[in-house]
Amino acid sequence: MSGHTKYRAFISYSHDDSRWARRIHRALEAYRLPGNLIGIKTEQGLVPKRLNPIFRDRDDLPAAGDLTASVRTALAQSGVLIVVCSPAAAASRWVNQEIQEFRSVHPQGQILAAIVAGTPGAAVGDGDGCFPAALLETGLPESEAEPVGADFRRNGDGFRMGVVKLAAGMLGLRLDQIIQRDLQRRQQRVTTVTMLSLLLAVVMTGLTLLASSARSEAERRKADAEDLIEFMLSDLQDKLEPVGRLDVLDAVGEKVVAYYAAQPTRQLSADALGRRSRAFHLLGEIESAEGDLEAAYGHFRRAYDATGQSLQTVDDDPARIFEHSQSAYWVGYYAWRQGRLDDAEGHFREYRDLAARPTAIDPANTEWLAEYAYANTNLGVVYLQSARLPEARDSFVAAGALTADLAARQPDVVQAHVDHANALAWVATVYEMTDGRDAAIAARQQEIAIYEDQLSAEVDDWNIRRDAINAERALARLLIAPGPATPAADLQIALAILEATSFEADALLQRDPANGNWRLTTVRQRLWLAQARLLDNDVAGAREAYLDASAYMAHPSWMADASARIAETRLYAALVEARIFVAMGQDESAHLRLDHLMTSLVAEANWQTEFQYGPYLYAASANELADLELRRGAAAAAATLRAHLVTTLTPISGQLRLDAAMEFHRAQSLASEAN
């Protein structure tokens, strides 16, 4: 990029093509250039390591009769214009204006077409043409006027080659240079995986041959083989898992399972059954990480059967009890993930009871005591989701006491203190519904103090920083839970907390942009900062924080995550955006956003339990919509919205978090006044 260019490219697209624009945006920003091309000088400048940043206009922001100043500025600061071409783009006034604006500020600028629908040769007016008229206004002969770019359609270049073509065009590289790089990378990957597979095949073939040798020699060799299997399931896993080599781990687990499958189950020792079950655990965790929950559940179910059989062999062996407790946990976890709370509770109860047994045998074993604490927490989560608040409170408080004991026993073990802080987070969560705001705030403050102690001791652990940011955001949320009735002193404390954690959150993503958990932390931190600034009547500051959050949500790792926590955060972002529209006096935009938000929310069958803040999102959106209806003079519509809110939330009114309860009671009060 040149000195006055801020963005590698600007993506122009019709609202109808927003899905394509997002896919192309994240694919280009995630694209890695080969080392032997980086630094080469082309007509577009020096080849960089990555193709970022790329600007993609947000069509949800305030509408205007002309291009906004921010769009004009971004066009002026972009080195290349990428136009997502389709019949919708060809008919879009905005796309044509963006092309004309780019040409006016960059007369010799590079414009690339990304064809996603329509027919390139067709005329704009016949409904099938895909090139906007402004794109064809080049002053060149008609035969040369068709723009340079890539055809993303299935019968064209396809998505992958389309991205490669755009990258080549943006950088002024020959297409064959980048294609050669992809071939080399694929060849290296194939070679690596092939060599590892051959190595594992040789090892396991050797194990099979050794097991079929003469009896006395076979027993010795078998012991050596199982030592190697133990290494594969422990040390090798510890080395490969942190670097993301799931392919190798998957091969290891499959080979171990195949090895034991060749032997009659009744002849396997308790140790062998334990190793077999750990192989199933490994395969289940890999399938889970890759998103195949059904396959993961199948592996964990087989592990559960194996550890149960092992436990029948040696009922009083703490190691076997511990292994079966892990199997019970994983089977319960997947029942919980699938929303089967009764099944999850049964397995989590078994997990808790099994985890308690080794601690009775050896009370000094801190690993087993920690597992017992985790088991109480997991059972507490199921109770919380089942609206059994007294039982949830008892479980979380028990976990808090256990982790406090462990931290006192191990003052120099960082994880022991982190576990105690995590337990306090759950205590604060349930206290919010059972003991009130002050008790919840006190628990959060205690949690934060633990993190501060660890970080002040120069513990270089970025996950602890992430947890600290989450805890401080949770404290700020409690402080501003009363909404407009928040005491001024509490609002200023919340703002100070959220302003300070902005820098920490940004540092997380600078360290590891692909870390989905860290990105979620940063997005949520910015959204709550926007909320606090709105309460402080700082509309410009709120909008700035919201736009930061939106930019963070544009990352490929975020866009690819379909989990409930991401979906819920997107809905909360929509609520914040709608409130910003209201503060800016753009009631129609706010109304559309809120209406869409409520439609999306109620489309989730289990929105009250699936989303942690589902009731709050529903109540806040309904109240905001009712306020807008009142300003329109539609008092009856406003009353209907609030009456429906009260009817919907009354059955769970005793289980609402503080901010949801505030919105519920506000609707109750205004509904009674209207009557």
Side-chain angles (χ1 to χ4, degrees):
M1 293 188 294
S2 64
H4 64 278
T5 303
K6 180 177 179 181
Y7 302 105
R8 292 276 169 203
F10 181 110
I11 298 180
S12 177
Y13 63 98
S14 162
H15 174 76
D16 291 347
D17 299 323
S18 58
R19 184 167 174 265
W20 275 104
R22 284 195 298 271
R23 285 189 70 197
I24 293 169
H25 185 177
R26 65 175 180 256
L28 286 172
E29 287 206 332
Y31 194 82
R32 294 180 180 273
L33 276 297
N36 61 351
L37 291 181
I38 295 169
I40 290 178
K41 186 173 179 58
T42 71
E43 292 182 359
Q44 304 296 332
L46 298 179
V47 174
K49 292 182 180 179
R50 302 291 290 271
L51 296 173
N52 61 317
I54 292 174
F55 185 93
R56 176 168 56 86
D57 187 20
R58 302 177 187 88
D59 53 76
D60 290 341
L61 291 179
D66 197 359
L67 297 181
T68 63
S70 62
V71 169
R72 292 181 184 278
T73 300
L75 283 164
Q77 295 178 341
S78 298
V80 175
L81 177 65
I82 297 172
V83 182
V84 178
C85 296
S86 70
S92 170
R93 176 165 64 96
W94 302 111
V95 173
N96 276 278
Q97 281 193 24
E98 286 173 345
I99 295 169
Q100 292 166 350
E101 177 68 19
F102 183 81
R103 280 219 174 98
S104 72
V105 293
H106 300 290
Q108 305 301 317
Q110 176 82 321
I111 301 180
L112 302 173
I115 302 167
V116 299
T119 303
V124 173
D126 69 3
D128 196 39
C130 64
F131 293 138
L135 191 60
L136 301 174
E137 294 170 0
T138 61
L140 297 173
E142 187 175 347
S143 61
E144 303 176 33
E146 189 167 297
V148 177
D151 189 343
F152 282 77
R153 296 173 301 170
R154 289 181 183 273
N155 59 347
D157 299 315
F159 187 82
R160 181 178 178 80
M161 183 55 67
V163 170
V164 173
K165 280 192 170 184
L166 288 183
M170 289 172 64
L171 298 171
L173 291 168
R174 298 193 316 275
L175 183 61
D176 65 317
Q177 289 176 286
I178 293 192
I179 291 176
Q180 183 63 30
R181 172 264 182 171
D182 271 3
L183 290 174
Q184 290 173 349
R185 180 176 63 179
R186 252 184 262 176
Q187 184 62 41
Q188 289 171 352
R189 185 180 300 159
V190 169
T191 301
T192 300
V193 172
T194 301
M195 293 300 293
L196 288 168
S197 299
L198 286 172
L199 176 61
L200 287 166
V202 168
V203 170
M204 297 311 296
T205 301
L207 294 178
T208 303
L209 290 173
L210 290 171
S212 61
S213 300
R215 185 178 183 83
S216 59
E217 181 66 11
E219 288 300 321
R220 186 181 68 80
R221 298 281 187 174
K222 184 179 178 182
D224 290 341
E226 294 195 340
D227 283 344
L228 181 56
I229 290 172
E230 188 65 40
F231 166 76
M232 289 177 173
L233 292 174
S234 53
D235 292 357
L236 182 61
Q237 181 179 356
D238 291 342
K239 288 177 172 60
L240 292 176
E241 198 165 26
V243 296
R245 292 312 306 266
L246 295 181
D247 51 349
V248 180
L249 288 175
D250 197 16
V252 168
E254 292 284 4
K255 291 292 184 183
V256 173
V257 169
Y259 172 74
Y260 284 120
Q263 304 174 48
T265 302
R266 64 181 178 277
Q267 294 181 11
L268 294 178
S269 67
D271 286 341
L273 286 168
R275 281 189 287 271
R276 180 167 173 252
S277 67
R278 291 208 301 282
F280 281 126
H281 280 155
L282 175 61
L283 291 172
E285 290 182 51
I286 292 168
E287 297 287 3
S288 175
E290 293 177 343
D292 191 344
L293 299 187
E294 286 301 320
Y297 179 78
H299 288 309
F300 288 128
R301 188 75 222 187
R302 284 190 284 276
Y304 179 81
D305 293 339
T307 52
Q309 181 182 353
S310 173
L311 192 57
Q312 289 174 2
T313 310
V314 279
D315 181 63
D316 59 348
D317 184 340
R320 301 287 83 82
I321 297 170
F322 181 81
E323 282 179 351
H324 194 47
S325 76
Q326 297 304 289
S327 296
Y329 161 72
W330 281 112
V331 175
Y333 174 72
Y334 278 92
W336 174 74
R337 286 282 296 267
Q338 293 166 349
R340 295 183 287 111
L341 294 184
D342 289 343
D343 288 347
E345 181 186 342
H347 285 295
F348 281 164
R349 278 181 176 276
E350 183 182 17
Y351 169 41
R352 182 197 61 186
D353 295 343
L354 286 165
R357 287 173 60 187
T359 64
I361 296 169
D362 182 4
N365 189 311
T366 55
E367 180 184 1
W368 294 343
L369 191 61
E371 202 67 33
Y372 185 37
Y374 301 152
N376 275 280
T377 296
N378 280 280
L379 195 53
V381 171
V382 173
Y383 287 145
L384 187 62
Q385 287 190 308
S386 303
R388 291 152 65 182
L389 297 184
E391 291 163 290
R393 187 184 188 280
D394 289 345
S395 292
F396 290 141
V397 169
L402 288 165
T403 53
D405 180 27
L406 280 164
R409 291 192 201 186
Q410 307 168 94
D412 298 326
V413 177
V414 173
Q415 189 59 47
H417 296 281
V418 171
D419 287 345
H420 185 205
N422 288 337
L424 286 169
W426 284 110
V427 169
T429 298
V430 74
Y431 274 179
E432 187 177 345
M433 292 172 271
T434 59
D435 292 48
R437 181 169 176 258
D438 290 346
I441 286 174
R444 285 294 181 188
Q445 289 172 332
Q446 192 179 352
E447 176 194 2
I448 292 167
I450 293 172
Y451 290 133
E452 288 177 345
D453 284 346
Q454 294 305 305
L455 293 172
S456 65
E458 299 182 0
V459 174
D460 188 21
D461 188 323
W462 286 76
N463 283 320
I464 293 180
R465 294 186 184 212
R466 185 272 318 272
D467 291 344
I469 293 169
N470 286 336
E472 289 178 308
R473 186 193 73 246
L475 174 59
R477 186 188 69 81
L478 289 170
L479 290 168
I480 63 173
T486 298
D490 286 352
L491 176 57
Q492 293 309 309
I493 293 171
L495 280 167
I497 290 170
L498 293 166
E499 297 283 1
T501 53
S502 293
F503 300 104
E504 284 285 313
D506 290 345
L508 284 178
L509 285 189
Q510 288 171 8
R511 186 173 181 86
D512 186 1
N515 190 309
N517 287 328
W518 293 1
R519 186 165 295 275
L520 178 65
T521 290
T522 306
V523 169
R524 287 179 170 177
Q525 187 276 334
R526 282 301 201 282
L527 291 175
W528 282 106
L529 176 59
Q531 177 78 339
R533 284 175 171 171
L534 280 176
L535 290 175
D536 198 39
N537 297 316
D538 179 7
V539 180
R543 189 170 183 272
E544 177 187 21
Y546 167 76
L547 291 175
D548 284 346
S550 298
Y552 288 134
M553 288 190 287
H555 192 270
S557 64
W558 180 279
M559 304 301 296
D561 194 331
S563 64
R565 62 182 190 164
I566 299 297
E568 179 180 33
T569 305
R570 288 193 184 105
L571 292 174
Y572 181 63
L575 173 62
V576 171
E577 184 187 26
R579 285 174 164 168
I580 292 172
F581 282 140
V582 169
M584 295 171 66
Q586 297 179 16
D587 286 3
E588 287 303 315
S589 296
H591 197 284
L592 287 171
R593 204 72 178 107
L594 289 166
D595 192 53
H596 179 70
L597 189 161
M598 291 190 70
T599 301
S600 300
L601 186 62
V602 298
E604 297 286 343
N606 300 317
W607 63 269
Q608 295 185 26
T609 54
E610 179 72 10
F611 296 139
Q612 187 179 16
Y613 298 106
Y616 169 70
L617 290 170
Y618 169 73
S621 301
N623 270 331
E624 292 285 356
L625 267 176
D627 290 343
L628 290 174
E629 294 292 359
L630 279 178
R631 284 207 289 278
R632 286 178 168 184
T640 299
L641 279 165
R642 290 202 170 99
H644 189 267
L645 186 167
V646 172
T647 300
T648 301
L649 295 187
T650 293
I652 59 169
S653 59
Q655 305 147 23
L656 297 176
R657 293 172 183 267
L658 290 169
D659 41 14
M662 181 276 295
E663 295 286 354
F664 172 73
H665 292 309
R666 177 169 177 257
Q668 262 189 329
S669 175
L670 291 172
S672 63
E673 287 178 10
N675 293 330

